[in-house]
Structure formats: C-alpha cells, structure tokens
C-alpha cells in the first residue's frame, strides 16, 4: 500500500446522515472473493429502485463518474465492524471520505486500507455539501489537514496515528515494525533486569 500526502480528484456530495456499513455493502455480497472487487456493491440497495439503478442518486449521475472524494453527513460508517465496507469504497475508487463524524471501527479500517476519513465540523460539512451540489474538483492535503473544493478551504481532524499510517502507507503491522529498535531496547532491558521472565534457552 502506497502512502500519500496530497490527493486531487473529483468530489461528489451525498447529503445523507447515518450511512452505516450495512448500507455501504449489504451482507449478502460479502461471500464474494475480494479479488473480484467490491466496488460494484457500494451502496447497492440505496442506489436502486427495485432492480433498476436510480438515475437521481448522486453517485449514479454521469457527472459523478470517476469521483474519488465523497463528502457526506454525520455518523458515516457506523453499525457493524465489517471491513468490507471500506473495501467497497476503495474498490469503487474513493480515497477520501469527508464527514462530521465516523464510526470509530470504520475510521480505523479506513486508515489500514489507505482511505482517509476526514472529520470536519457540521458547518463545514454543510458548506461543502452545498458547494458540491454538482460534482467538482477538490484537493485534500494530509500535510496541512485541509480540503479545498468549490471555492472553500476547510480544515479537518484525524487521529495522528492514522494520519502517520496514511502518509507512509502503513497498516498496523508496519506501524509496529517502525518501532523495532525501541522494542528491542525494551526487551534487552527486561532481559537484564528481570531474567526470570525468560526461558533458560533464550
């Protein structure tokens, strides 16, 4: 997974609160091998009226094709802990989700898969949603934690550890490995000061 600091792309607005992981990808699709891609399942049931795609759903409109930044409303990604919700967004081409609040497990899964969950204020979310009533280009900087879109420039919050992981392209294992020297020093000190904690053959 590659790290990144600045992303520029097409932003689309989805002015809907409380989109949960069950809506992001319905459970019946989760037996599909990841290698086949989950993008086509993203928001599957919300994007359709019966078996027919809803032409008025924001992500179905032709001008939203190729969008990589999704601006939405509060409580995005709540519900179950399924990581497949992040896979569906990533496989559909999204790299940034902007909202006033996120499910915490969703935000952690997002960072582990290179997807930024950028938390903005309610006021900034409302302003961005209005500015992006039609999809438009946007710029997101992890370096200075800003989003520029529709003539607006707003800041966003992100857990500093998740920010570090995104900028370096790390998952949890990579993050642990970045502290190998500290871990080795701690282990050496523990062995010296508390040798009874170690088996004799070590």
């Amino acid at each position: 997974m590659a790290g990144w600091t600045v992303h520029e792309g097409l932003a689309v607005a989805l002015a809907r609160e409380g989109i949960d992981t069950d809506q992001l990808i319905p459970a019946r699709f989760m037996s599909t091998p990841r290698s086949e891609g989950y993008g086509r399942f993203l928001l599957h049931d919300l994007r359709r009226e019966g078996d027919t795609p809803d032409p008025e759903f924001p992500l179905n409109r032709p001008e939203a094709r190729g969008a990589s930044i999704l601006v939405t409303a509060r409580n995005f990604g709540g519900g179950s802990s399924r990581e497949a919700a992040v896979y569906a967004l990533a496989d559909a081409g999204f790299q940034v989700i902007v909202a006033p609040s996120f499910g915490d497990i969703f935000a952690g899964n997002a960072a582990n898969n290179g997807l930024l969950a950028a938390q903005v204020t309610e006021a900034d979310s409302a302003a961005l949603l209005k500015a992006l009533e039609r999809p438009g280009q946007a710029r997101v900087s992890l370096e200075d934690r800003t989003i520029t879109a529709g003539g607006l420039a707003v800041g966003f919050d992100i857990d500093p550890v998740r920010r570090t992981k995104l900028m370096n392209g790390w998952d949890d294992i990579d993050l642990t490995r970045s502290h190998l020297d500290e871990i080795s020093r701690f282990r050496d000190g523990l062995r010296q000061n508390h040798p009874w904690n170690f088996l004799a053959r070590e």
Side-chain angles (χ1 to χ4, degrees):
M1 183 170 64
W4 61 278
T5 55
V6 173
H7 175 72
E8 295 181 340
L10 185 67
V12 61
L14 181 59
R16 184 187 292 248
E17 296 181 359
I19 294 176
D20 62 31
T21 54
D22 294 324
Q23 293 170 315
L24 286 168
I25 180 167
R28 65 185 183 277
F29 299 122
M30 291 172 58
S31 60
T32 301
R34 175 75 196 284
S35 59
E36 294 182 11
Y38 280 17
R40 65 187 187 279
F41 304 133
L42 177 64
L43 297 165
H44 184 278
D45 294 348
L46 291 180
R47 298 173 73 160
R48 286 167 175 75
E49 292 179 340
D51 294 331
T52 305
D54 176 2
E56 295 304 314
F57 193 83
L59 272 63
N60 289 345
R61 296 173 184 158
E63 60 268 28
R65 190 169 298 134
S68 59
I69 301 168
L70 178 66
V71 179
T72 186
R74 73 174 72 175
N75 193 26
F76 187 90
S80 77
S81 60
R82 65 186 64 169
E83 194 167 10
V86 171
Y87 299 161
L89 285 158
D91 290 353
F94 286 99
Q95 191 160 347
V96 179
I97 311 298
V98 181
S101 57
F102 294 93
D104 191 58
I105 295 175
F106 170 86
N109 288 337
N112 283 335
N113 288 278
L115 179 72
L116 167 62
Q119 185 174 6
V120 297
T121 66
E122 290 277 2
D124 286 341
S125 172
L128 286 168
L129 287 169
K130 182 173 180 55
L132 293 168
E133 286 179 344
R134 295 186 61 82
Q137 290 297 310
R139 181 180 190 274
V140 179
S141 171
L142 271 169
E143 285 185 324
D144 55 15
R145 293 184 293 118
T146 59
I147 301 163
T148 306
L152 301 172
V154 305
F156 68 85
D157 289 330
I158 180 174
D159 177 278
V161 172
R162 290 172 181 164
R163 178 171 175 255
T164 297
K165 290 164 68 175
L166 286 167
M167 293 178 72
N168 290 282
W170 291 344
D171 59 16
D172 287 333
I173 294 174
D174 296 321
L175 180 66
T176 300
R177 289 177 62 84
S178 74
H179 296 287
L180 279 181
D181 290 345
E182 297 161 77
I183 294 169
S184 294
R185 284 196 297 273
F186 177 83
R187 179 186 170 90
D188 291 345
L190 191 64
R191 184 191 296 275
Q192 181 174 355
N193 297 320
H194 305 282
W196 57 87
N197 281 332
F198 295 83
L199 296 175
R201 65 175 181 273
E202 291 191 32

